Amino acid sequence: QLQLVESGGGSVQAGGSLRLSCSASPSRFNTVCMAWFRQVPGKEREGVAAIDSAGSTVYADSVKGRFTISKDNAANTLYLQMNSLKPEDTSMYYCAAAGLECIPRRDRLGRDGYFYWGQGTQVTVSS
């Protein structure tokens, strides 16, 4: 069982930066595949970035070149560095972890296969 707790959200002006953190209970942290999702009211939750145990990453087209996902296995923490933020990045951001088997790379930005979720942290970007 993995417990995930996000932090680091807040309000920022367009062009600014934020770093989200997701602290996880130690179980399997260094072997589990993880991801960041975001959701605004009335819309589907969308995958933003994913990372596997080898450090291989996948990004949504909308955030490529601006966001960076990383894991610190020693600290049991997942990060999302968000630069050049835009108003359309405003959303609730969620940390997610897969089960015992990692999700195929082509599917890592979909919700299927992620069984553990944090409570979310709000990011608001003003123009």
Side-chain angles (χ1 to χ4, degrees):
Q1 190 80 4
L2 279 175
Q3 294 184 338
L4 307 174
V5 179
E6 302 96 336
S7 61
S11 297
V12 64
Q13 288 194 325
S17 297
L18 283 173
R19 188 176 79 159
L20 305 184
S21 298
C22 173
S23 296
S25 53
S27 175
R28 301 190 293 112
F29 183 82
N30 62 338
T31 61
V32 73
C33 289
M34 300 188 74
W36 287 98
F37 286 76
R38 65 187 181 186
Q39 187 174 24
V40 296
K43 289 193 174 182
E44 292 283 321
R45 190 170 296 189
E46 63 170 349
V48 173
I51 187 168
D52 67 13
S53 58
S56 178
T57 57
V58 179
Y59 295 94
D61 288 343
S62 58
V63 306
K64 277 180 185 175
R66 300 189 299 121
F67 290 11
T68 302
I69 187 172
S70 62
K71 287 177 74 183
D72 184 338
N73 289 331
N76 295 323
T77 303
L78 178 75
Y79 299 103
L80 185 68
Q81 177 67 43
M82 305 186 295
N83 299 327
S84 303
L85 282 161
K86 303 176 181 180
E88 51 264 44
D89 294 318
T90 295
S91 190
M92 185 72 80
Y93 283 74
Y94 298 89
C95 169
L100 290 176
E101 293 189 8
C102 194
I103 301 158
R105 181 179 176 85
R106 65 180 181 276
D107 298 326
R108 286 179 189 165
L109 296 184
R111 293 187 62 177
D112 290 346
Y114 291 101
F115 298 111
Y116 307 101
W117 295 86
Q119 82 289 349
T121 186
Q122 177 68 36
V123 171
T124 302
V125 184
S126 58
S127 58

